[in-house]
Amino acid sequence: MRNALLVYPEFPPSYWGFKYAIELLGKKSAMPPLGLLTVAGMFSRDYQLKVVDLNVEPLTDVHLAWADMVFTSTMIVQRDSLYEVIRRCNRAGVPIVAGGPHPTTFHDEIRQESGGGVDHFLLGEVENTFDGFLTDIACGTARDVYPELAKPAISKAPLPRYDLLRLRRYNSMALQFSRGCPFDCEFCDITKLYGRVPRTKDTEQMLGEFELLYHLGWRGSLFLVDDNFIGNKRDALRLLPRLREWQGQRGYPFSLFTEASMNLAQVPELLESMSAAGFDMVFMGIESPNPDTLLATNKKQNIDRSGRSANYLLDSVRTVQSHGLEVSGGFIIGLDGDTEFDSHIRFVQEAGIPLAMAGLLTALKSTDLYERLAREGRLLGESTGDNTDGTLNFVPLLPRERLMAEYKRVVGALYDPSLKNYFERCLTLLRRWRRVNRRRRRIRWAELLAAARSLRRQVLSRQGPAYLRFLLRVLRERPAMIPEAIRLAIMGFHFEKITRQTIAADDFRRYLETELEEFKARIVDLARTHRASVDDAGAYVREVLSGVRSRYDQLHVDFRHAVHGAVTSFEEGVMTQLEELGLEIGGQPT
């Protein structure tokens, strides 16, 4: 019997993680590591399994002492945490296996940067390769890299091992219906990873996964993680009536949400079937309200090519909302065709999209955007995978400083400290949102506690006046929507905090750039003036570095990771300047 430890590295705080909202809900993480749980279902019976999700618990020496082998799955944004897991495994002498989207694209870089610390890479979708890998491990003949042999039928995916988790730590569960997307947006890597022909699970397989979660006691939010749930409309329409029947027989235990392309608004049968089956939210990649920009980035599904609608995107969002589906939207700041961004703010407000996730454009490796920017000589390096960390890995057409200022202005307007604009969007949504006629679920005790925490924390903050006005208007106009109003308020708390701290981190990086230039000029002047003594220069260096440390300490601890590179570059710049001037100054703070 062998012991396999499945470790899921940590995500940095972001809009997508809902960290500060789920803390109010008494949860540890937004959702579980579905990829690892699916892989767990592929192990043979001669393995004992444990899952450690670093987003809910630490990886301990006891875990590593138990493990014969560690398996990880990561996205690019989990890179730093993955490297720490690799170092821990290497020190403990435990072999480590890396898979997921990040290693699939960057296995050569991971091998180089980790000093060869990963023993085996499983690339791409592993349903066709995992059994062979386990056989090779048993025979002592396992290779370094196992490439994806072919796109597997998703029907080969086993039931995820949800039983390995403490489900109550999570705000939502996750399962998958399809892989792949028929659209090929220039900036997106989904089609490069999973193809343009969506592959789906059959209806009985999906109902089996729903049934498993139901019998494990899960109730509440459930995310279908498909990158485009309606990529295969025929199969989605085949599933939905059966799912509606299953949900109805059990009193609608699950509130469903997913991701879908904008053409959902043009298929009334799909909208009605999703709503009837228990879907109440859908994420859509809107990106920009500018049709020319969308066309240039190959986002054709967001454009009315018939020319009949002057407000195609706005009308589409309203259509989806009118069917009982809240629309959350992704917006990209930095696409080549956009030269102004007031239109983005106006669109979000008019559309009534409370959860508007605006991020900087990033060029992901293997995408058409990445290749185009490389050809144009505009590529600067690899993406961090975090589109809110203030890092641009390409040369934008707009001046960089202007683009960064516009990005901060957009998110600052969407989530200002008072949340006035946010609550206006929430009210717009609730006025438009048609309640679907299905059994109303009971409000749970945990949700009442979350509401109490939200009221206590938000009403006594700068958000208080706008929050109270919002609740009073909902009570007067749509009293049945009060539970949704509280949920939206909790989400707003998270988004405002993320926005404020993201802007603070970027301001700190800009401060370091300016401070370094001022330091270089001043230290040269001091060195020339005080050739016989370095006392004044030394005092100045210590003053500068202490000031930087003080500003760094003012950042929220969750966001300090985002400026580590800038701090390191600053300190290296200081030391380089001192060495060039021949100054040896001891006792500098680091």
Side-chain angles (χ1 to χ4, degrees):
M1 186 70 70
R2 295 173 62 85
N3 296 334
L5 184 68
L6 285 69
V7 178
Y8 197 50
E10 189 174 8
F11 284 94
S14 69
Y15 287 123
W16 307 91
F18 301 107
K19 175 184 170 90
Y20 305 112
I22 62 177
E23 284 178 354
L24 292 181
L25 294 166
K27 304 294 184 179
K28 294 288 188 180
S29 181
M31 64 187 63
L34 181 61
L36 273 183
L37 298 180
T38 303
V39 169
M42 301 178 193
F43 278 90
S44 56
R45 293 187 177 183
D46 55 341
Y47 278 86
Q48 295 186 96
L49 305 178
K50 288 183 181 179
V51 172
V52 175
D53 180 356
L54 298 188
N55 298 281
V56 301
E57 64 178 315
L59 176 64
T60 68
D61 291 341
V62 173
H63 289 133
L64 293 174
W66 174 87
D68 294 313
M69 185 170 289
V70 167
F71 290 75
T72 65
S73 176
T74 52
M75 291 186 277
I76 298 171
V77 74
Q78 295 166 284
R79 172 182 176 275
D80 290 345
S81 182
L82 171 64
Y83 285 146
E84 177 59 25
V85 172
I86 293 171
R87 287 189 289 269
R88 293 279 305 278
C89 290
N90 292 166
R91 287 198 299 267
V94 182
I96 183 168
V97 182
H102 173 217
T104 294
T105 305
F106 289 97
H107 56 278
D108 288 335
E109 290 85 347
I110 294 171
R111 181 186 288 111
Q112 181 177 355
E113 293 179 24
S114 68
V118 174
D119 297 271
H120 309 284
F121 288 95
L122 302 182
L123 308 184
E125 300 172 64
V126 301
E127 281 85 355
N128 291 333
T129 57
F130 197 74
D131 283 348
F133 171 71
L134 291 184
T135 299
D136 292 347
I137 285 289
C139 296
T141 58
R143 304 189 302 274
D144 292 345
V145 178
Y146 285 75
E148 182 181 79
L149 299 178
K151 295 298 179 191
I154 194 173
S155 59
K156 290 185 176 182
L159 284 171
R161 290 290 307 275
Y162 300 109
D163 58 294
L164 296 173
L165 300 176
R166 293 172 60 183
L167 300 186
R168 297 304 174 188
R169 292 177 169 182
Y170 296 92
N171 187 55
S172 175
M173 282 294 106
L175 51 76
Q176 184 178 55
F177 169 60
S178 68
R179 295 177 193 162
C181 179
F183 303 109
D184 197 18
C185 305
E186 184 188 40
F187 51 81
C188 183
D189 64 350
I190 292 302
T191 57
K192 309 306 186 274
L193 290 168
Y194 304 115
R196 291 192 63 182
V197 179
R199 292 157 288 137
T200 65
K201 297 176 182 176
D202 64 39
T203 297
E204 296 306 322
Q205 186 178 3
M206 283 299 295
L207 293 179
E209 296 189 20
F210 280 101
E211 192 70 30
L212 172 61
L213 279 170
Y214 182 78
H215 280 293
L216 288 172
W218 182 256
R219 302 291 185 274
S221 183
L222 181 55
F223 180 37
L224 275 73
V225 303
D226 307 35
D227 291 290
N228 189 352
F229 177 74
I230 65 164
N232 186 322
K233 300 185 188 70
R234 180 200 63 194
D235 288 359
L237 283 169
R238 183 179 298 151
L239 168 67
L240 289 167
R242 294 285 306 280
L243 180 55
R244 174 186 181 179
E245 179 184 0
W246 186 94
Q247 287 257 73
Q249 290 171 350
R250 293 156 182 81
Y252 284 90
F254 302 141
S255 299
L256 308 176
F257 63 109
T258 191
E259 302 181 30
S261 47
M262 187 59 70
N263 57 315
L264 170 63
Q266 313 310 313
V267 190
E269 186 181 3
L270 265 175
L271 280 170
E272 292 163 5
S273 295
M274 287 177 66
S275 182
F279 285 85
D280 53 24
M281 181 187 290
V282 60
F283 174 86
M284 292 179 157
I286 297 170
E287 323 310 358
S288 170
N290 182 344
D292 293 334
T293 298
L294 294 170
L295 188 62
T297 198
N298 205 32
K299 193 84 178 181
K300 298 176 182 177
Q301 66 272 27
N302 283 19
I303 302 169
D304 177 22
R305 282 171 282 182
S306 71
R308 290 192 296 268
S309 174
N311 296 300
Y312 177 76
L313 279 176
L314 194 59
D315 292 342
S316 296
V317 170
R318 289 170 174 168
T319 297
V320 175
Q321 291 169 334
S322 71
H323 283 78
L325 296 171
E326 176 188 347
V327 173
S328 63
F331 296 84
I332 297 177
I333 308 300
L335 294 168
D336 279 355
D338 284 329
T339 58
E340 59 79 30
F341 300 96
D342 286 335
S343 58
H344 293 63
I345 299 170
R346 285 196 303 271
F347 180 89
V348 173
Q349 292 298 127
E350 290 177 22
I353 301 177
L355 307 187
M357 302 179 185
L360 287 164
L361 178 65
T362 186
L364 296 171
K365 188 177 180 180
S366 83
T367 61
D368 295 339
L369 173 66
Y370 185 97
E371 300 300 329
R372 176 172 68 83
L373 293 175
R375 290 194 304 271
E376 295 174 0
R378 296 168 59 193
L379 197 64
L380 299 176
E382 300 299 346
S383 170
T384 65
D386 185 348
N387 64 354
T388 63
D389 68 357
T391 302
L392 291 173
N393 70 324
F394 69 100
V395 178
L397 293 185
L398 289 178
R400 182 185 183 281
E401 289 304 316
R402 181 187 166 196
L403 180 59
M404 291 304 303
E406 287 294 283
Y407 168 65
K408 289 191 285 188
R409 186 175 70 86
V410 170
V411 295
L414 296 179
Y415 304 105
D416 65 283
S418 73
L419 284 183
K420 178 178 180 294
N421 288 339
Y422 175 79
F423 285 123
E424 285 296 330
R425 299 198 300 276
C426 292
L427 193 61
T428 298
L429 169 68
L430 295 180
R431 286 169 171 165
R432 189 176 296 144
W433 206 355
R434 179 176 65 85
R435 178 173 290 283
V436 177
N437 183 26
R438 47 180 193 255
R439 186 182 298 181
R440 186 179 299 179
R441 66 174 178 82
R442 292 178 297 176
I443 298 176
R444 298 179 179 88
W445 178 245
E447 292 171 313
L448 291 175
L449 287 177
R453 295 187 190 109
S454 167
L455 289 166
R456 183 175 66 250
R457 190 169 300 184
Q458 292 179 264
V459 169
L460 299 178
S461 70
R462 285 179 290 181
Q463 301 166 17
Y467 187 1
L468 289 173
R469 282 195 299 271
F470 168 63
L471 287 183
L472 289 172
R473 292 166 79 179
V474 174
L475 279 170
R476 184 171 61 249
E477 299 178 26
R478 302 294 304 275
M481 288 291 191
I482 280 295
E484 297 301 334
I486 295 292
R487 177 186 63 82
L488 289 168
I490 291 172
M491 293 295 114
F493 174 77
H494 164 80
F495 273 70
E496 188 278 328
K497 189 168 184 177
I498 286 284
T499 299
R500 177 163 33 92
Q501 297 300 335
T502 297
I503 291 174
D506 188 70
D507 287 345
F508 180 74
R509 285 190 291 267
R510 303 285 82 77
Y511 155 76
L512 289 180
E513 292 175 2
T514 302
E515 191 73 5
L516 183 59
E517 293 305 311
E518 292 180 358
F519 170 82
K520 289 178 178 179
R522 178 79 184 280
I523 199 69
V524 167
D525 182 61
L526 286 172
R528 288 172 179 166
T529 305
H530 302 279
R531 291 186 181 278
S533 171
V534 296
D535 289 349
D536 288 346
Y540 174 60
V541 170
R542 287 187 286 273
E543 177 187 345
V544 168
L545 293 177
S546 294
V548 168
R549 172 57 62 181
S550 177
R551 288 280 295 265
Y552 174 83
D553 289 342
Q554 292 174 23
L555 291 175
H556 191 287
V557 65
D558 288 344
F559 290 82
R560 292 175 185 172
H561 75 280
V563 301
H564 283 171
V567 171
T568 299
S569 296
F570 177 85
E571 292 179 341
E572 289 174 351
V574 168
M575 297 308 298
T576 298
Q577 188 69 19
L578 294 177
E579 290 170 2
E580 289 177 356
L581 295 172
L583 293 173
E584 296 183 3
I585 299 170
Q588 303 100 313
T590 57

